[in-house]
Amino acid sequence: MDNKLYFIGYRVTSRLYFHLPIIFLLFWSLNIDFMAVMLITAIYGLSSNLASFFIKNITNKYNSKTIIIFGEILKSLGLLFIFFGAYPGNVNFITIFFGQIIGGLGFSIALSADNGLIKQITNNNPLDFTKLQSKTQSLMFISTLFAGFIGGILFQYNMTWPIIAGIIVSILSCFIVFFINIENAHKDHEREKISRNFLDKISSDTKKWIFYYALLRAFTLAPFVGLLPLYFLIRNLDPYLFGLVLGLFTLGGFIFSLHGYKILKEIDSNRLFFIMLSAIIISLSCFILENYFYYYGINLFYLSLVGMFILGLSSGSIRTIVVPRIKIDHLDKNEQILVFSYMEKMFGYLNALILILIGLITSYFDIIYALLTIVLVMIFISISEF
């Protein structure tokens, strides 16, 4: 089978996040304090900083394929820890905590080598790279949407079943990547020593987009993972619909991957950043408005669904728009991997900071104040940037 087909199979399989929509529900069902849930969630992102340490040491020894397999093994191991830590009647917070660290470590390691593997498969051909990237992007969103819906159904039968499903697909992903043959694409026997100052080799514009990537991802994923599941729990959303409603986030990203880039590709960088910021502000404002009307007895629940969909559009736009603007083709393969690792590391810091901040605001005040804080911060960033 062709390397490209194996890679497509890997991306689709590895994005079957059966556990993602219900992970908050799982922790909540175990009666874990909300602030503790935020800390558990934040540590997943912070573990990307540990990943950067591992990546620096393994990129000189192993190719992208091996690094991805290693990352997927860690992901399955992390989920295994969560499975045992969250087992009904025998809940262990420390085991869950370490499971999040190991899982986040594996996710960051695998993701940092993802683009490097595409470059190897396509022999660094920019046109082939873009085609394969766009083809897999839409399939990844479908995969995540499908898995989210199925994960919600599995959760109703047994709260640990989505975790087990996640372990199975991570192991399956390892087998698929194993069959990718990159020996003829790049000979990795002789490797250049990685410069510790690899960031000095990239342009200021690329550095700006690296920062935009981390900032925008943090401001879309932190609310999605930490606040919005609680928002719908407060609204007493049927657990069967939980995965489906959160799946609107994925659906928005999928639709953007199909049509959004064609519309926005001609817009200059500064305007693009402003558009993406504005979309996130509008999406979170929908939840604030829906809550306002709900307080006065007016049911406009559809506003929260619109908000979730727009937030998904914003999230789907980030990687599609930002990655082509990160000009690092002049760096060697190992340094390119480190650049993507650095992006995830910056995202990890920002994501953890936002999760802890909104967790504190929600615990001491109200979830709407947390959403309002994010909106005001993003308005301030948009004003200061432009």
Side-chain angles (χ1 to χ4, degrees):
M1 190 184 291
D2 184 78
N3 277 339
K4 292 180 181 178
L5 291 178
Y6 278 124
F7 182 78
I8 291 170
Y10 159 69
R11 272 202 162 178
V12 170
T13 306
S14 65
R15 268 61 175 187
L16 287 169
Y17 300 135
F18 294 104
H19 62 286
L20 185 61
I22 58 85
I23 199 74
F24 187 96
L25 265 178
L26 174 65
F27 295 150
W28 191 262
S29 301
L30 299 172
N31 295 317
I32 299 176
D33 179 74
F34 177 71
M35 195 60 221
V37 173
M38 289 293 96
L39 288 172
I40 293 173
T41 308
I43 199 65
Y44 187 91
L46 279 175
S47 61
S48 62
N49 301 323
L50 288 174
S52 64
F53 170 78
F54 281 97
I55 290 166
K56 285 179 182 177
N57 287 279
I58 63 179
T59 48
N60 259 351
K61 299 177 181 177
Y62 305 104
N63 56 35
S64 300
K65 168 183 166 180
T66 307
I67 294 170
I68 287 176
I69 291 174
F70 178 57
E72 290 295 334
I73 290 172
L74 287 179
K75 280 169 61 178
S76 59
L77 187 61
L79 287 173
L80 191 63
F81 268 69
I82 293 174
F83 171 78
F84 285 113
Y87 199 81
N90 191 29
V91 178
N92 189 313
F93 180 83
I94 300 300
T95 305
I96 294 173
F97 186 81
F98 278 106
Q100 284 287 86
I101 292 176
I102 296 169
L105 192 66
F107 176 80
S108 297
I109 288 174
L111 191 63
S112 68
D114 189 277
N115 280 297
L117 186 59
I118 301 182
K119 288 179 181 292
Q120 288 180 290
I121 290 172
T122 58
N123 292 311
N124 251 343
N125 184 305
L127 183 60
D128 289 344
F129 175 88
T130 303
K131 283 182 179 179
L132 186 56
Q133 179 84 301
S134 60
K135 182 185 293 185
T136 56
Q137 199 76 24
S138 56
L139 291 173
M140 283 158 56
F141 283 120
I142 294 174
S143 178
T144 306
L145 181 64
F146 168 78
F149 176 66
I150 298 300
I153 295 174
L154 291 175
F155 185 82
Q156 289 301 297
Y157 287 96
N158 188 306
M159 64 173 62
T160 59
W161 282 7
I163 306 296
I164 295 172
I167 295 170
I168 292 171
V169 295
S170 282
I171 294 171
L172 182 59
S173 297
C174 291
F175 280 106
I176 294 173
V177 174
F178 179 79
F179 287 106
I180 295 177
N181 180 13
I182 57 172
E183 289 181 1
N184 296 326
H186 279 278
K187 295 292 183 180
D188 291 334
H189 302 298
E190 296 182 6
R191 299 179 181 273
E192 296 180 20
K193 187 177 180 180
I194 300 176
S195 169
R196 292 186 179 181
N197 300 317
F198 63 91
L199 289 176
D200 294 337
K201 298 181 181 181
I202 60 180
S203 67
S204 58
D205 188 64
T206 294
K207 288 177 182 175
K208 180 180 71 175
W209 277 102
I210 288 174
F211 172 71
Y212 286 171
Y213 170 85
L215 185 75
L216 292 167
R217 275 200 75 203
F219 274 112
T220 53
L221 290 184
F224 174 70
V225 172
L227 284 183
L228 300 185
L230 177 63
Y231 185 92
F232 290 114
L233 276 175
I234 294 171
R235 288 290 183 273
N236 295 314
L237 184 68
D238 191 316
Y240 276 108
L241 298 175
F242 208 83
L244 198 59
V245 169
L246 293 183
L248 287 172
F249 179 88
T250 306
L251 181 63
F254 168 63
I255 290 176
F256 181 89
S257 70
L258 290 178
H259 306 292
Y261 184 69
K262 298 172 186 175
I263 299 170
L264 299 179
K265 66 179 180 180
E266 301 301 330
I267 302 175
D268 69 80
S269 297
N270 287 334
R271 285 201 180 101
L272 268 180
F273 179 63
F274 181 76
I275 290 171
M276 287 191 285
L277 271 178
S278 299
I280 298 170
I281 292 169
I282 291 169
S283 68
L284 297 182
S285 297
C286 285
F287 290 94
I288 297 170
L289 281 172
E290 193 273 338
N291 182 79
Y292 174 82
F293 286 114
Y294 182 81
Y295 180 80
Y296 287 101
I298 303 171
N299 188 359
L300 294 178
F301 184 71
Y302 71 87
L303 270 178
S304 61
L305 302 182
V306 172
M308 182 65 80
F309 179 74
I310 296 174
L311 191 65
L313 282 173
S314 307
S315 177
S317 72
I318 295 168
R319 198 168 185 85
T320 307
I321 289 174
V322 172
V323 170
R325 286 173 168 78
I326 296 175
K327 308 298 183 183
I328 54 174
D329 290 339
H330 61 286
L331 302 181
D332 65 42
K333 183 186 72 67
N334 297 329
E335 288 175 329
Q336 289 177 15
I337 290 176
L338 288 183
V339 169
F340 288 112
S341 172
Y342 175 78
M343 290 164 56
E344 295 305 317
K345 181 179 180 180
M346 188 182 294
F347 158 69
Y349 277 127
L350 288 172
N351 188 57
L353 180 65
I354 295 169
L355 281 170
I356 292 171
L357 176 64
I358 61 180
L360 288 170
I361 295 172
T362 303
S363 296
Y364 286 100
F365 300 100
D366 188 80
I367 187 173
I368 295 304
Y369 287 108
L371 288 169
L372 187 59
T373 300
I374 295 175
V375 169
L376 292 175
V377 169
M378 298 204 72
I379 290 173
F380 173 78
I381 291 172
S382 63
I383 293 172
S384 62
E385 283 288 323
F386 300 99

